Amino acid sequence: MKMKIIELEIFAIHLPLYEPFVISYASYDYMPSIIVKLTTDTGHVGYGEGVADDHVTGESFESLFAVLKNTLAPKLLGENPRNMERIHEIMNRTIYGVPTAKAALDIACYDAVGKSLGVPVYDLLGGRYHKEFPITHVLSIGTPEEMADEAEEKVRAGYRSMKMKVGTEVMEDVRRIEAVRERVGEDIAIRVDVNQGWKNSATTLQGMRKLAHCSLDWIEQPVSADDIDGMVEVKAKTSVPVMIDEGLRGMRDMREIIAKRAADKVNIKLMKCGGIYPATKLAHMAEMAGIECQVGSMVESSVGSAAGFHVAFSKKVMTSVELTGPLKFSEDIGNLLYDVPFIRLNEAPGLGIEVDEAVLRKLTVFSEKVVI
């Protein structure tokens, strides 16, 4: 079916959180997000999302909106959203970087195309492989006692794995991790995400020696994003599996990670790499190198989270997911359903979610329409 993009509407929204989300370099009282509504000449509508992270991709809420409105959206008018290689080539030729802006448009294209064909997005990616994924609860940085209390509460609610946000002073973080492990016992998986907070390999190895008794699933991005050699050293000198997150943005990073054997696992995020299409390319590269993958989160709404799940569910190399944004919001624009502590996708076409336009407009701070 021939179809072309005739309208792109861009919404800058604030997603309200139940409680502040605290990581090593920022604290959020709400999540700023950009929603793209794509309409084709065949009447099909697709939704995409971009959640910027100034510290990871170099994009802000405001710059993301401006780039979409002024630079990228006008270039895609008249294009067929099914031609994903061409769509990405146009975007990459138009502007370097800005992966979150490109992800928002990529996701909207996939949603519209899936709906036009009457199939879920995962069917466009090779079909469904996984039946379900367990959900990991993310613990924001707090005191050791606060984090242990929250972990205990979530275990009672049925969660079997915790992702701990740390990345302050290393010995304080050690106390946090020890407190949570002591509280939840040995049977609960604990993943530690440092978000670059320990800066270098020397500090990280000092911490890892203190944590040898804590049976960690993995340690994620302890050193600065661009310090791939630091990751190599950490991986060589600790028995705990090492995951790269901020240090993996696109194919160039993945080539270096593979060449240097810098990680046991990689955290692929649609907002870092440019969307669903580039994410599948990274997954294939990792699979060839024998590196496990996770699809991670920038705390997106149902739209961006569903897009990540479709990638994860379609690939055997994906062994974990961390897309829990919708569980953190007191109000969401979509209806992605979680069966806590699991996620199981439905078989509805496109992303498989319905966007509530009334809520979308209610949460909108400003918006713009780009039309043919």
Side-chain angles (χ1 to χ4, degrees), residues 253-298:
D253 293 331
M254 185 66 97
R255 282 200 303 272
E256 186 179 358
I257 291 161
I258 291 168
K260 293 181 173 177
R261 299 174 63 86
D264 302 290
K265 293 175 76 84
V266 291
N267 197 359
I268 296 172
K269 291 180 179 172
L270 274 55
M271 302 300 133
K272 288 188 303 178
C273 69
I276 292 171
Y277 194 67
T280 59
K281 290 187 175 185
L282 293 179
H284 294 150
M285 291 174 76
E287 188 171 35
M288 286 190 297
I291 296 173
E292 286 184 18
C293 299
Q294 167 176 289
V295 176
S297 166
M298 293 286 206

Side-chain angles (χ1 to χ4, degrees), residues 93-346:
R93 207 169 52 223
T94 301
I95 185 168
Y96 176 79
V98 296
T100 310
K102 291 169 182 173
L105 292 165
D106 164 290
I107 294 165
C109 286
Y110 270 103
D111 190 29
V113 171
K115 287 170 179 170
S116 75
L117 298 171
V119 299
V121 166
Y122 55 71
D123 274 355
L124 305 174
L125 308 177
R128 186 166 177 162
Y129 177 80
H130 298 279
K131 178 171 168 258
E132 64 185 20
F133 276 106
I135 304 166
T136 296
H137 177 69
V138 181
L139 297 168
S140 290
I141 296 174
T143 66
E145 187 74 14
E146 287 167 347
M147 294 179 84
D149 286 347
E150 187 178 341
E152 185 179 24
E153 178 192 324
K154 293 301 177 182
V155 168
R156 280 200 299 269
Y159 286 90
R160 306 300 296 163
S161 62
M162 299 291 143
K163 172 170 175 162
M164 293 187 62
K165 289 288 188 181
V166 297
T168 60
E169 197 277 320
V170 68
M171 288 309 156
E172 285 177 26
D173 288 335
V174 167
R175 285 190 283 277
R176 291 181 174 105
I177 296 160
E178 287 175 333
V180 171
R181 172 53 80 204
E182 190 177 329
R183 188 73 66 85
V184 301
E186 287 296 315
D187 296 337
I188 302 299
I190 295 179
R191 295 92 186 253
V192 173
D193 186 3
V194 190
N195 284 122
Q196 311 177 64
W198 295 345
K199 308 294 188 205
N200 57 51
S201 57
T203 308
T204 298
L205 290 167
Q206 190 181 20
M208 296 312 292
R209 278 192 288 275
K210 297 277 187 187
L211 292 167
H213 63 292
C214 285
S215 309
L216 300 180
D217 256 26
W218 63 75
I219 184 90
E220 183 176 347
Q221 199 64 53
V223 305
S224 298
D226 294 334
D227 188 7
I228 300 291
D229 291 333
M231 293 293 283
V232 171
E233 189 173 1
V234 171
K235 180 171 173 281
K237 293 181 179 177
T238 178
S239 59
V240 175
V242 174
M243 178 188 278
I244 282 185
D245 177 4
E246 290 95 327
L248 170 64
R249 287 160 294 246
M251 290 171 74
R252 194 198 65 77
D253 293 331
M254 185 66 97
R255 282 200 303 272
E256 186 179 358
I257 291 161
I258 291 168
K260 293 181 173 177
R261 299 174 63 86
D264 302 290
K265 293 175 76 84
V266 291
N267 197 359
I268 296 172
K269 291 180 179 172
L270 274 55
M271 302 300 133
K272 288 188 303 178
C273 69
I276 292 171
Y277 194 67
T280 59
K281 290 187 175 185
L282 293 179
H284 294 150
M285 291 174 76
E287 188 171 35
M288 286 190 297
I291 296 173
E292 286 184 18
C293 299
Q294 167 176 289
V295 176
S297 166
M298 293 286 206
V299 197
E300 299 94 340
S301 76
S302 284
V303 173
S305 300
F309 280 128
H310 279 274
V311 175
F313 273 81
S314 70
K315 300 287 172 244
K316 181 182 171 185
V317 74
M318 297 293 176
T319 55
S320 59
V321 293
E322 282 175 1
L323 293 152
T324 57
L327 296 172
K328 297 182 183 299
F329 298 128
S330 56
E331 213 167 4
D332 189 4
I333 60 164
N335 62 342
L336 181 63
L337 286 176
Y338 290 79
D339 185 11
V340 175
F342 291 96
I343 178 76
R344 302 176 177 96
L345 288 184
N346 61 33

Side-chain angles (χ1 to χ4, degrees), residues 57-59 63-64 67 72 91 95-103 271 274:
T57 70
E59 296 161 285
S63 77
L64 186 54
V67 164
L72 286 173
M91 293 196 292
I95 185 168
Y96 176 79
V98 296
T100 310
K102 291 169 182 173
M271 302 300 133

Side-chain angles (χ1 to χ4, degrees), residues 13-15 28 30-34 50-52 61:
I13 70 171
H14 287 169
L15 289 156
Y28 299 94
Y30 59 84
M31 287 308 297
S33 170
I34 305 290
V51 175
F61 179 57

